[in-house]
Amino acid sequence: MTNDAAPTKDAAPTDASAVAKVSTRGPADAAPTADPPAVLTERRGGVLLITLNRPQVRNAVNAAVAEGVAHALEELDADDELAVGILTGAGGFFCAGMDLGAFVRGESPWFGDRGFAGIAQRSARKPLIAAIEGFAVAGGMEVALACDLIVAARGAKLGIPEAKRSLVAAGGALLRLPRRMPYHVVMELALTGDTMPAERFHELGVVNRLAEPGGAVEAARELAATLANNGPLALVASKQILQEQFDWSTAEMWERQAAISGPVFASEDAKEGASAFKEKRQPVWRGR
């Protein structure tokens, strides 16, 4: 979960402590300015855009980021007007992982039962799309993997370089990647610590859609709009079944699925969906 990014000529220092000393003061006679929020949210058309807002340290995760992401996910799930979330990073890159400087100072990048970055162990109930620019490495990759869909800009670098620092990608990558891509490719990623381009992850099915550089959020918005047109109860139930079915035995899987899907079939929205199809009109969802 370290903040190791793919090396580039104009990349910021890897260790967040190297930039933590930059002053936010203006001229000597000016009053100190408050630090900007570590996480920003924006609502548009039933979609909540969540932005990691620490570009000066490549959106490395500290306590404020973990708390901000957790609160944003709570907002997404609690508001019936919101159907889908998008998680992205400011400054042209997604996330470089854990803020090592903040960690050394005693800050925790974990938040409650949501875990690392306020998302790794418990994400939102509603669909969440990662929109990646630049790179998503170490804990940043694990944040992306905690999302349900991934949109990435061409040329973006993704990977889990923890082994290069004698660390382990314990924020979910080693648990989630083997279920989503070939075993030997995951092993290569974990043991070499090297990154791969978004195009390769797209070939392997981990990245859903590719965008031109600078266009990941817009492409994610297009995907989110498609999802938001569907029944909100169906979105949540479908996600829940897909995520929980790994723990179900063959004997119980139909019963467990019925417990989740049954209320959706009996809902007002299900009747509205059938009526709208028959009447050749757009459905009006009520979330009940």
Side-chain angles (χ1 to χ4, degrees), residues 240-241 244-245 247-249 251-262:
Q240 184 179 357
I241 291 168
E244 294 183 5
Q245 54 90 17
D247 298 324
W248 299 344
S249 68
E252 68 179 351
M253 64 183 185
W254 290 102
E255 181 179 354
R256 296 291 294 271
Q257 177 179 258
I260 298 170
S261 62

mmCIF file with all atom_site columns, all heavy atoms in Angstrom, residues 240-241 244-245 247-249 251-262:
data_model
loop_
_atom_site.group_PDB
_atom_site.id
_atom_site.type_symbol
_atom_site.label_atom_id
_atom_site.label_alt_id
_atom_site.label_comp_id
_atom_site.label_asym_id
_atom_site.label_entity_id
_atom_site.label_seq_id
_atom_site.pdbx_PDB_ins_code
_atom_site.Cartn_x
_atom_site.Cartn_y
_atom_site.Cartn_z
_atom_site.occupancy
_atom_site.B_iso_or_equiv
_atom_site.pdbx_formal_charge
_atom_site.auth_seq_id
_atom_site.auth_comp_id
_atom_site.auth_asym_id
_atom_site.auth_atom_id
_atom_site.pdbx_PDB_model_num
ATOM 1   N N   . GLN A 1 240 ? -24.853 -6.987  -5.000  1.00 0.00 ? 240 GLN A N   1
ATOM 2   C CA  . GLN A 1 240 ? -24.758 -7.786  -3.779  1.00 0.00 ? 240 GLN A CA  1
ATOM 3   C C   . GLN A 1 240 ? -24.635 -9.272  -4.096  1.00 0.00 ? 240 GLN A C   1
ATOM 4   O O   . GLN A 1 240 ? -23.807 -9.983  -3.507  1.00 0.00 ? 240 GLN A O   1
ATOM 5   C CB  . GLN A 1 240 ? -25.969 -7.536  -2.888  1.00 0.00 ? 240 GLN A CB  1
ATOM 6   C CG  . GLN A 1 240 ? -25.900 -8.264  -1.555  1.00 0.00 ? 240 GLN A CG  1
ATOM 7   C CD  . GLN A 1 240 ? -27.110 -7.988  -0.664  1.00 0.00 ? 240 GLN A CD  1
ATOM 8   O OE1 . GLN A 1 240 ? -27.990 -7.191  -1.026  1.00 0.00 ? 240 GLN A OE1 1
ATOM 9   N NE2 . GLN A 1 240 ? -27.176 -8.642  0.469   1.00 0.00 ? 240 GLN A NE2 1
ATOM 10  N N   . ILE A 1 241 ? -25.445 -9.756  -5.040  1.00 0.00 ? 241 ILE A N   1
ATOM 11  C CA  . ILE A 1 241 ? -25.386 -11.170 -5.404  1.00 0.00 ? 241 ILE A CA  1
ATOM 12  C C   . ILE A 1 241 ? -24.032 -11.521 -6.004  1.00 0.00 ? 241 ILE A C   1
ATOM 13  O O   . ILE A 1 241 ? -23.413 -12.533 -5.643  1.00 0.00 ? 241 ILE A O   1
ATOM 14  C CB  . ILE A 1 241 ? -26.524 -11.513 -6.388  1.00 0.00 ? 241 ILE A CB  1
ATOM 15  C CG1 . ILE A 1 241 ? -27.877 -11.441 -5.672  1.00 0.00 ? 241 ILE A CG1 1
ATOM 16  C CG2 . ILE A 1 241 ? -26.323 -12.910 -6.983  1.00 0.00 ? 241 ILE A CG2 1
ATOM 17  C CD1 . ILE A 1 241 ? -29.070 -11.484 -6.604  1.00 0.00 ? 241 ILE A CD1 1
ATOM 18  N N   . GLU A 1 244 ? -21.386 -11.526 -3.108  1.00 0.00 ? 244 GLU A N   1
ATOM 19  C CA  . GLU A 1 244 ? -21.539 -12.475 -2.015  1.00 0.00 ? 244 GLU A CA  1
ATOM 20  C C   . GLU A 1 244 ? -21.535 -13.930 -2.456  1.00 0.00 ? 244 GLU A C   1
ATOM 21  O O   . GLU A 1 244 ? -21.294 -14.827 -1.643  1.00 0.00 ? 244 GLU A O   1
ATOM 22  C CB  . GLU A 1 244 ? -22.819 -12.176 -1.229  1.00 0.00 ? 244 GLU A CB  1
ATOM 23  C CG  . GLU A 1 244 ? -22.785 -10.838 -0.498  1.00 0.00 ? 244 GLU A CG  1
ATOM 24  C CD  . GLU A 1 244 ? -24.033 -10.580 0.327   1.00 0.00 ? 244 GLU A CD  1
ATOM 25  O OE1 . GLU A 1 244 ? -24.892 -11.507 0.405   1.00 0.00 ? 244 GLU A OE1 1
ATOM 26  O OE2 . GLU A 1 244 ? -24.152 -9.486  0.902   1.00 0.00 ? 244 GLU A OE2 1
ATOM 27  N N   . GLN A 1 245 ? -21.793 -14.203 -3.743  1.00 0.00 ? 245 GLN A N   1
ATOM 28  C CA  . GLN A 1 245 ? -21.962 -15.577 -4.191  1.00 0.00 ? 245 GLN A CA  1
ATOM 29  C C   . GLN A 1 245 ? -20.705 -16.425 -4.035  1.00 0.00 ? 245 GLN A C   1
ATOM 30  O O   . GLN A 1 245 ? -20.788 -17.649 -3.994  1.00 0.00 ? 245 GLN A O   1
ATOM 31  C CB  . GLN A 1 245 ? -22.466 -15.592 -5.638  1.00 0.00 ? 245 GLN A CB  1
ATOM 32  C CG  . GLN A 1 245 ? -21.635 -14.805 -6.632  1.00 0.00 ? 245 GLN A CG  1
ATOM 33  C CD  . GLN A 1 245 ? -20.544 -15.598 -7.300  1.00 0.00 ? 245 GLN A CD  1
ATOM 34  O OE1 . GLN A 1 245 ? -20.568 -16.830 -7.282  1.00 0.00 ? 245 GLN A OE1 1
ATOM 35  N NE2 . GLN A 1 245 ? -19.588 -14.895 -7.884  1.00 0.00 ? 245 GLN A NE2 1
ATOM 36  N N   . ASP A 1 247 ? -19.108 -16.904 -1.457  1.00 0.00 ? 247 ASP A N   1
ATOM 37  C CA  . ASP A 1 247 ? -19.167 -17.569 -0.157  1.00 0.00 ? 247 ASP A CA  1
ATOM 38  C C   . ASP A 1 247 ? -20.320 -18.565 -0.051  1.00 0.00 ? 247 ASP A C   1
ATOM 39  O O   . ASP A 1 247 ? -20.492 -19.201 0.988   1.00 0.00 ? 247 ASP A O   1
ATOM 40  C CB  . ASP A 1 247 ? -19.318 -16.526 0.960   1.00 0.00 ? 247 ASP A CB  1
ATOM 41  C CG  . ASP A 1 247 ? -18.139 -15.572 1.022   1.00 0.00 ? 247 ASP A CG  1
ATOM 42  O OD1 . ASP A 1 247 ? -17.008 -16.026 0.778   1.00 0.00 ? 247 ASP A OD1 1
ATOM 43  O OD2 . ASP A 1 247 ? -18.350 -14.380 1.312   1.00 0.00 ? 247 ASP A OD2 1
ATOM 44  N N   . TRP A 1 248 ? -21.117 -18.709 -1.118  1.00 0.00 ? 248 TRP A N   1
ATOM 45  C CA  . TRP A 1 248 ? -22.284 -19.588 -1.070  1.00 0.00 ? 248 TRP A CA  1
ATOM 46  C C   . TRP A 1 248 ? -21.946 -20.984 -1.589  1.00 0.00 ? 248 TRP A C   1
ATOM 47  O O   . TRP A 1 248 ? -21.253 -21.136 -2.600  1.00 0.00 ? 248 TRP A O   1
ATOM 48  C CB  . TRP A 1 248 ? -23.426 -19.014 -1.911  1.00 0.00 ? 248 TRP A CB  1
ATOM 49  C CG  . TRP A 1 248 ? -23.916 -17.668 -1.468  1.00 0.00 ? 248 TRP A CG  1
ATOM 50  C CD1 . TRP A 1 248 ? -23.683 -17.057 -0.273  1.00 0.00 ? 248 TRP A CD1 1
ATOM 51  C CD2 . TRP A 1 248 ? -24.713 -16.759 -2.240  1.00 0.00 ? 248 TRP A CD2 1
ATOM 52  N NE1 . TRP A 1 248 ? -24.287 -15.824 -0.246  1.00 0.00 ? 248 TRP A NE1 1
ATOM 53  C CE2 . TRP A 1 248 ? -24.928 -15.610 -1.440  1.00 0.00 ? 248 TRP A CE2 1
ATOM 54  C CE3 . TRP A 1 248 ? -25.268 -16.798 -3.524  1.00 0.00 ? 248 TRP A CE3 1
ATOM 55  C CZ2 . TRP A 1 248 ? -25.676 -14.516 -1.874  1.00 0.00 ? 248 TRP A CZ2 1
ATOM 56  C CZ3 . TRP A 1 248 ? -26.017 -15.718 -3.957  1.00 0.00 ? 248 TRP A CZ3 1
ATOM 57  C CH2 . TRP A 1 248 ? -26.220 -14.589 -3.146  1.00 0.00 ? 248 TRP A CH2 1
ATOM 58  N N   . SER A 1 249 ? -22.475 -21.995 -0.928  1.00 0.00 ? 249 SER A N   1
ATOM 59  C CA  . SER A 1 249 ? -22.324 -23.364 -1.416  1.00 0.00 ? 249 SER A CA  1
ATOM 60  C C   . SER A 1 249 ? -23.345 -23.618 -2.521  1.00 0.00 ? 249 SER A C   1
ATOM 61  O O   . SER A 1 249 ? -24.322 -22.876 -2.684  1.00 0.00 ? 249 SER A O   1
ATOM 62  C CB  . SER A 1 249 ? -22.552 -24.355 -0.271  1.00 0.00 ? 249 SER A CB  1
ATOM 63  O OG  . SER A 1 249 ? -23.918 -24.324 0.131   1.00 0.00 ? 249 SER A OG  1
ATOM 64  N N   . ALA A 1 251 ? -25.497 -25.872 -2.584  1.00 0.00 ? 251 ALA A N   1
ATOM 65  C CA  . ALA A 1 251 ? -26.782 -26.221 -1.966  1.00 0.00 ? 251 ALA A CA  1
ATOM 66  C C   . ALA A 1 251 ? -27.590 -25.001 -1.562  1.00 0.00 ? 251 ALA A C   1
ATOM 67  O O   . ALA A 1 251 ? -28.828 -25.035 -1.573  1.00 0.00 ? 251 ALA A O   1
ATOM 68  C CB  . ALA A 1 251 ? -26.536 -27.117 -0.749  1.00 0.00 ? 251 ALA A CB  1
ATOM 69  N N   . GLU A 1 252 ? -26.912 -23.915 -1.231  1.00 0.00 ? 252 GLU A N   1
ATOM 70  C CA  . GLU A 1 252 ? -27.631 -22.757 -0.705  1.00 0.00 ? 252 GLU A CA  1
ATOM 71  C C   . GLU A 1 252 ? -27.729 -21.586 -1.665  1.00 0.00 ? 252 GLU A C   1
ATOM 72  O O   . GLU A 1 252 ? -28.462 -20.631 -1.404  1.00 0.00 ? 252 GLU A O   1
ATOM 73  C CB  . GLU A 1 252 ? -26.957 -22.270 0.578   1.00 0.00 ? 252 GLU A CB  1
ATOM 74  C CG  . GLU A 1 252 ? -25.575 -21.669 0.368   1.00 0.00 ? 252 GLU A CG  1
ATOM 75  C CD  . GLU A 1 252 ? -24.926 -21.166 1.647   1.00 0.00 ? 252 GLU A CD  1
ATOM 76  O OE1 . GLU A 1 252 ? -25.604 -21.127 2.693   1.00 0.00 ? 252 GLU A OE1 1
ATOM 77  O OE2 . GLU A 1 252 ? -23.739 -20.821 1.590   1.00 0.00 ? 252 GLU A OE2 1
ATOM 78  N N   . MET A 1 253 ? -27.031 -21.645 -2.821  1.00 0.00 ? 253 MET A N   1
ATOM 79  C CA  . MET A 1 253 ? -26.913 -20.437 -3.635  1.00 0.00 ? 253 MET A CA  1
ATOM 80  C C   . MET A 1 253 ? -28.242 -19.939 -4.189  1.00 0.00 ? 253 MET A C   1
ATOM 81  O O   . MET A 1 253 ? -28.468 -18.729 -4.267  1.00 0.00 ? 253 MET A O   1
ATOM 82  C CB  . MET A 1 253 ? -25.903 -20.656 -4.766  1.00 0.00 ? 253 MET A CB  1
ATOM 83  C CG  . MET A 1 253 ? -26.271 -21.696 -5.768  1.00 0.00 ? 253 MET A CG  1
ATOM 84  S SD  . MET A 1 253 ? -24.912 -21.889 -6.980  1.00 0.00 ? 253 MET A SD  1
ATOM 85  C CE  . MET A 1 253 ? -25.673 -23.050 -8.118  1.00 0.00 ? 253 MET A CE  1
ATOM 86  N N   . TRP A 1 254 ? -29.154 -20.830 -4.557  1.00 0.00 ? 254 TRP A N   1
ATOM 87  C CA  . TRP A 1 254 ? -30.428 -20.360 -5.102  1.00 0.00 ? 254 TRP A CA  1
ATOM 88  C C   . TRP A 1 254 ? -31.274 -19.699 -4.020  1.00 0.00 ? 254 TRP A C   1
ATOM 89  O O   . TRP A 1 254 ? -31.929 -18.686 -4.262  1.00 0.00 ? 254 TRP A O   1
ATOM 90  C CB  . TRP A 1 254 ? -31.187 -21.515 -5.751  1.00 0.00 ? 254 TRP A CB  1
ATOM 91  C CG  . TRP A 1 254 ? -30.530 -21.983 -7.005  1.00 0.00 ? 254 TRP A CG  1
ATOM 92  C CD1 . TRP A 1 254 ? -29.750 -23.093 -7.168  1.00 0.00 ? 254 TRP A CD1 1
ATOM 93  C CD2 . TRP A 1 254 ? -30.555 -21.319 -8.268  1.00 0.00 ? 254 TRP A CD2 1
ATOM 94  N NE1 . TRP A 1 254 ? -29.291 -23.162 -8.465  1.00 0.00 ? 254 TRP A NE1 1
ATOM 95  C CE2 . TRP A 1 254 ? -29.774 -22.095 -9.162  1.00 0.00 ? 254 TRP A CE2 1
ATOM 96  C CE3 . TRP A 1 254 ? -31.159 -20.156 -8.741  1.00 0.00 ? 254 TRP A CE3 1
ATOM 97  C CZ2 . TRP A 1 254 ? -29.586 -21.743 -10.494 1.00 0.00 ? 254 TRP A CZ2 1
ATOM 98  C CZ3 . TRP A 1 254 ? -30.984 -19.803 -10.067 1.00 0.00 ? 254 TRP A CZ3 1
ATOM 99  C CH2 . TRP A 1 254 ? -30.201 -20.587 -10.932 1.00 0.00 ? 254 TRP A CH2 1
ATOM 100 N N   . GLU A 1 255 ? -31.246 -20.266 -2.829  1.00 0.00 ? 255 GLU A N   1
ATOM 101 C CA  . GLU A 1 255 ? -32.004 -19.688 -1.717  1.00 0.00 ? 255 GLU A CA  1
ATOM 102 C C   . GLU A 1 255 ? -31.428 -18.327 -1.323  1.00 0.00 ? 255 GLU A C   1
ATOM 103 O O   . GLU A 1 255 ? -32.184 -17.376 -1.074  1.00 0.00 ? 255 GLU A O   1
ATOM 104 C CB  . GLU A 1 255 ? -31.983 -20.636 -0.518  1.00 0.00 ? 255 GLU A CB  1
ATOM 105 C CG  . GLU A 1 255 ? -32.764 -20.123 0.685   1.00 0.00 ? 255 GLU A CG  1
ATOM 106 C CD  . GLU A 1 255 ? -32.745 -21.087 1.854   1.00 0.00 ? 255 GLU A CD  1
ATOM 107 O OE1 . GLU A 1 255 ? -32.221 -22.213 1.694   1.00 0.00 ? 255 GLU A OE1 1
ATOM 108 O OE2 . GLU A 1 255 ? -33.244 -20.720 2.934   1.00 0.00 ? 255 GLU A OE2 1
ATOM 109 N N   . ARG A 1 256 ? -30.112 -18.240 -1.292  1.00 0.00 ? 256 ARG A N   1
ATOM 110 C CA  . ARG A 1 256 ? -29.488 -16.970 -0.916  1.00 0.00 ? 256 ARG A CA  1
ATOM 111 C C   . ARG A 1 256 ? -29.767 -15.903 -1.976  1.00 0.00 ? 256 ARG A C   1
ATOM 112 O O   . ARG A 1 256 ? -29.989 -14.738 -1.659  1.00 0.00 ? 256 ARG A O   1
ATOM 113 C CB  . ARG A 1 256 ? -27.975 -17.174 -0.742  1.00 0.00 ? 256 ARG A CB  1
ATOM 114 C CG  . ARG A 1 256 ? -27.602 -18.121 0.397   1.00 0.00 ? 256 ARG A CG  1
ATOM 115 C CD  . ARG A 1 256 ? -27.902 -17.523 1.764   1.00 0.00 ? 256 ARG A CD  1
ATOM 116 N NE  . ARG A 1 256 ? -27.078 -16.377 2.030   1.00 0.00 ? 256 ARG A NE  1
ATOM 117 C CZ  . ARG A 1 256 ? -25.862 -16.440 2.604   1.00 0.00 ? 256 ARG A CZ  1
ATOM 118 N NH1 . ARG A 1 256 ? -25.349 -17.617 2.924   1.00 0.00 ? 256 ARG A NH1 1
ATOM 119 N NH2 . ARG A 1 256 ? -25.181 -15.344 2.837   1.00 0.00 ? 256 ARG A NH2 1
ATOM 120 N N   . GLN A 1 257 ? -29.714 -16.284 -3.247  1.00 0.00 ? 257 GLN A N   1
ATOM 121 C CA  . GLN A 1 257 ? -30.016 -15.333 -4.304  1.00 0.00 ? 257 GLN A CA  1
ATOM 122 C C   . GLN A 1 257 ? -31.468 -14.864 -4.222  1.00 0.00 ? 257 GLN A C   1
ATOM 123 O O   . GLN A 1 257 ? -31.763 -13.675 -4.381  1.00 0.00 ? 257 GLN A O   1
ATOM 124 C CB  . GLN A 1 257 ? -29.764 -15.956 -5.673  1.00 0.00 ? 257 GLN A CB  1
ATOM 125 C CG  . GLN A 1 257 ? -30.140 -15.032 -6.828  1.00 0.00 ? 257 GLN A CG  1
ATOM 126 C CD  . GLN A 1 257 ? -29.865 -15.636 -8.186  1.00 0.00 ? 257 GLN A CD  1
ATOM 127 O OE1 . GLN A 1 257 ? -28.875 -15.291 -8.818  1.00 0.00 ? 257 GLN A OE1 1
ATOM 128 N NE2 . GLN A 1 257 ? -30.718 -16.543 -8.634  1.00 0.00 ? 257 GLN A NE2 1
ATOM 129 N N   . ALA A 1 258 ? -32.396 -15.792 -3.956  1.00 0.00 ? 258 ALA A N   1
ATOM 130 C CA  . ALA A 1 258 ? -33.819 -15.450 -3.884  1.00 0.00 ? 258 ALA A CA  1
ATOM 131 C C   . ALA A 1 258 ? -34.101 -14.466 -2.750  1.00 0.00 ? 258 ALA A C   1
ATOM 132 O O   . ALA A 1 258 ? -34.970 -13.594 -2.877  1.00 0.00 ? 258 ALA A O   1
ATOM 133 C CB  . ALA A 1 258 ? -34.651 -16.714 -3.700  1.00 0.00 ? 258 ALA A CB  1
ATOM 134 N N   . ALA A 1 259 ? -33.355 -14.602 -1.650  1.00 0.00 ? 259 ALA A N   1
ATOM 135 C CA  . ALA A 1 259 ? -33.558 -13.698 -0.513  1.00 0.00 ? 259 ALA A CA  1
ATOM 136 C C   . ALA A 1 259 ? -33.229 -12.258 -0.886  1.00 0.00 ? 259 ALA A C   1
ATOM 137 O O   . ALA A 1 259 ? -33.817 -11.311 -0.347  1.00 0.00 ? 259 ALA A O   1
ATOM 138 C CB  . ALA A 1 259 ? -32.711 -14.148 0.665   1.00 0.00 ? 259 ALA A CB  1
ATOM 139 N N   . ILE A 1 260 ? -32.294 -12.091 -1.824  1.00 0.00 ? 260 ILE A N   1
ATOM 140 C CA  . ILE A 1 260 ? -31.890 -10.744 -2.248  1.00 0.00 ? 260 ILE A CA  1
ATOM 141 C C   . ILE A 1 260 ? -32.738 -10.258 -3.416  1.00 0.00 ? 260 ILE A C   1
ATOM 142 O O   . ILE A 1 260 ? -33.173 -9.103  -3.454  1.00 0.00 ? 260 ILE A O   1
ATOM 143 C CB  . ILE A 1 260 ? -30.391 -10.744 -2.632  1.00 0.00 ? 260 ILE A CB  1
ATOM 144 C CG1 . ILE A 1 260 ? -29.537 -11.106 -1.417  1.00 0.00 ? 260 ILE A CG1 1
ATOM 145 C CG2 . ILE A 1 260 ? -29.987 -9.372  -3.186  1.00 0.00 ? 260 ILE A CG2 1
ATOM 146 C CD1 . ILE A 1 260 ? -28.077 -11.360 -1.757  1.00 0.00 ? 260 ILE A CD1 1
ATOM 147 N N   . SER A 1 261 ? -32.997 -11.147 -4.377  1.00 0.00 ? 261 SER A N   1
ATOM 148 C CA  . SER A 1 261 ? -33.721 -10.730 -5.581  1.00 0.00 ? 261 SER A CA  1
ATOM 149 C C   . SER A 1 261 ? -35.234 -10.701 -5.401  1.00 0.00 ? 261 SER A C   1
ATOM 150 O O   . SER A 1 261 ? -35.928 -9.939  -6.094  1.00 0.00 ? 261 SER A O   1
ATOM 151 C CB  . SER A 1 261 ? -33.383 -11.667 -6.750  1.00 0.00 ? 261 SER A CB  1
ATOM 152 O OG  . SER A 1 261 ? -33.797 -12.997 -6.466  1.00 0.00 ? 261 SER A OG  1
ATOM 153 N N   . GLY A 1 262 ? -35.739 -11.491 -4.463  1.00 0.00 ? 262 GLY A N   1
ATOM 154 C CA  . GLY A 1 262 ? -37.183 -11.553 -4.258  1.00 0.00 ? 262 GLY A CA  1
ATOM 155 C C   . GLY A 1 262 ? -37.832 -10.204 -3.997  1.00 0.00 ? 262 GLY A C   1
ATOM 156 O O   . GLY A 1 262 ? -38.828 -9.839  -4.662  1.00 0.00 ? 262 GLY A O   1
#
